[in-house]
Amino acid sequence: MLKGKRIILGVSGGIAAYKMTNVASMLYKLGADVHVIMTKNACEFITPKTFEVLTKNKVYIDTFDENPDDPVNVPHITLGQTADCFLIAPATANIIGKLAHGIADDMLTTTVLPARCPMLICPSMNGYMLDNAVVQENIEILRKRGYKIIESEYGNLACGYEGKGKLPKEEVLVEHILNAIQYEHDMEGRKVMVSAGPTEEPLDPVRIITNHSSGKMGFALARTAARRGADVTLVTGPVNLETPLGVKRVDIVTAEDMYQNITSRADDMDIIIMSAAVADYTPETVADNKIKKSDGGMSIPLKRTKDILKTLGENKKEGQFICGFSMETENMLENSEAKLIKKNADMICANNLKVEGAGYKVDTNIITIIKKAADGEKAIIRELPLMSKDEAAYEILSEIISH
Ligand code: CTP
């Protein structure tokens, strides 16, 4: 995910400095070239050696530290200018104050000045310190200068207080870096709505009709679109997945809920991707009380739900792109082409549930992209190989924006 990217981690002297070892390790495992710069105070909490072992790079502390492999170049200039992303976390009140006012008196602050990459900073300290007007003003100065401020969280702080000032989880910090630099922001300015997961149709207060959808494909699409800079709304059925960073999430339960939530937002969207496994049928009535069993068999009268994709296709706005999904167990191409035409979609992503590596619970997929040709009838087909759902999401989105 981060191959070929140079990331600088600036670690200043807060107790959360120890968490940055995990961040450094996670970034290294994602393929990044990670360089850590510590302030002298950070070394009170953790030793540079730990970072050096994890990143395989020298850790700098003093502006006059030399790189033994490159004695000619000045490290703070070389590192600053070649960085793809700079994350300062934990950022103490002191480092924030220095950066806000151009003070450059150590390796970290001198490296920030020549850097022209995305700058992320996560203030982390005691809640009263964070709340101090001068700290808030300095944070505001940095925000106005284009720094991305990663908000610290509420919780039990190391100083014994409960309040705001806690460094977010390591995964969150890594996600901020991925959102900033994993992809070119080629979807900026586009409004994208993705549906994901199953729906649940109640029979009585105890039972539901649902399906095996895990939501992974829809979440991958939402996450990837957000990482490419899009403004993303994710309408999801009940799933056990974390909301991707920067994505607006709307939780729904039934097919009717999904219909209402999607159609009411549709006019505002440039791209709509229906990857949810929406129930085609729902019980005609929902019993107020638990249905009791009897000796004989039982049948449940069902009625059709509204077809959301078809409604979107019929009411498509000028310039809007509608993409559906099609999961089949036989005749995948014919059935999916028929859906493309019948529902007036611009594209269908088809997969065959019976092929290994495709389907509900797995992290991979094998997608065939079917697009309408210029004459509106004949379909263009592109088969993607087995890939992760994140990679498939990237390909699907590229296909959409190339349209
Ligand atoms: N879909 C929808 N509203 C529904 C049902 C499905 O918008 N009530 C969408 C799905 O999100 C998906 C596409 O329609 O994008 C799937 O098409 P559909 O005809 O429902 O597929 P199947 O149910 O698999 O088709 P069939 O019943 O013909 O097997």
Side-chain angles (χ1 to χ4, degrees), residues 195-197 199 255-256 258-259 262 273-281 304-312 323-329 335 338-340 342-343 345 347-349 360:
S195 72
T199 59
E256 179 61 25
M258 186 165 277
Y259 176 87
I262 298 255
I273 308 175
M274 284 296 301
S275 65
V278 188
D280 290 322
Y281 292 92
R304 282 293 302 267
T305 56
K306 293 172 190 148
D307 191 322
I308 307 167
L309 183 61
K310 191 156 178 273
T311 309
L312 295 172
C323 171
F325 266 70
S326 168
M327 184 169 268
E328 298 288 345
T329 53
N335 291 342
K339 274 176 218 172
L340 180 77
K342 197 173 90 194
K343 303 199 184 199
M347 190 167 116
I348 293 280
C349 299
Y360 283 130

Side-chain angles (χ1 to χ4, degrees), residues 47-297:
T47 72
K49 201 81 209 148
T50 313
F51 286 116
E52 286 179 348
V53 171
L54 293 170
T55 64
K56 320 279 182 273
N57 279 322
K58 178 180 164 60
V59 169
Y60 291 93
I61 299 151
D62 190 83
T63 320
F64 298 99
D65 283 349
E66 273 183 10
N67 179 356
D69 300 331
D70 183 10
V72 179
N73 288 309
V74 185
H76 65 275
I77 305 294
T78 320
L79 274 182
Q81 286 196 329
T82 56
D84 293 299
C85 188
F86 210 131
L87 167 67
I88 302 174
T92 56
N94 185 47
I95 201 83
I96 291 167
K98 284 195 211 173
L99 294 177
H101 298 282
I103 296 169
D105 64 350
D106 61 7
M107 180 64 182
L108 179 52
T109 46
T110 45
T111 310
V112 166
L113 293 182
R116 295 293 177 269
C117 59
M119 303 291 299
L120 317 179
I121 186 159
C122 186
S124 172
M125 63 197 81
N126 164 277
Y128 289 106
M129 289 175 75
L130 182 62
D131 206 28
N132 190 299
V134 72
V135 177
Q136 286 301 315
E137 277 170 26
N138 286 337
I139 290 174
E140 223 26 61
I141 289 173
L142 294 180
R143 198 194 307 275
K144 284 196 185 122
R145 252 181 232 147
Y147 281 69
K148 164 93 189 157
I149 309 294
I150 302 174
E151 293 292 330
S152 52
E153 294 178 352
Y154 283 88
N156 288 321
L157 303 172
C159 51
Y161 287 94
E162 199 185 317
K164 198 177 172 188
K166 218 175 147 66
L167 197 74
K169 275 200 233 134
E170 293 89 324
E171 291 78 5
V172 175
L173 297 177
V174 170
E175 221 179 331
H176 275 280
I177 292 177
L178 289 168
N179 270 22
I181 61 159
Q182 185 186 0
Y183 301 123
E184 196 190 322
H185 286 183
D186 54 0
M187 293 184 75
E188 213 150 60
R190 304 207 195 211
K191 289 191 164 186
V192 178
M193 178 159 59
V194 181
S195 72
T199 59
E200 288 181 354
E201 309 302 317
L203 271 169
D204 68 11
V206 182
R207 287 112 174 174
I208 52 170
I209 298 175
T210 187
N211 58 65
H212 291 300
S213 172
S214 63
K216 285 180 176 175
M217 191 64 236
F219 274 61
L221 282 159
R223 178 169 45 248
T224 307
R227 287 189 187 165
R228 292 172 77 162
D231 174 355
V232 185
T233 304
L234 174 63
V235 182
T236 178
V239 293
N240 192 15
L241 296 172
E242 293 275 334
T243 311
L245 184 71
V247 167
K248 283 167 258 170
R249 174 173 178 159
V250 180
D251 286 292
I252 58 90
V253 177
T254 63
E256 179 61 25
D257 284 347
M258 186 165 277
Y259 176 87
Q260 296 299 343
N261 275 286
I262 298 255
T263 52
S264 63
R265 290 174 171 84
D267 283 0
D268 206 25
M269 299 293 160
D270 300 310
I271 299 166
I272 306 176
I273 308 175
M274 284 296 301
S275 65
V278 188
D280 290 322
Y281 292 92
T282 190
E284 255 177 27
T285 53
V286 182
D288 286 338
N289 294 305
K290 187 183 167 200
I291 301 168
K292 302 299 284 180
K293 63 178 165 299
S294 55
D295 285 343

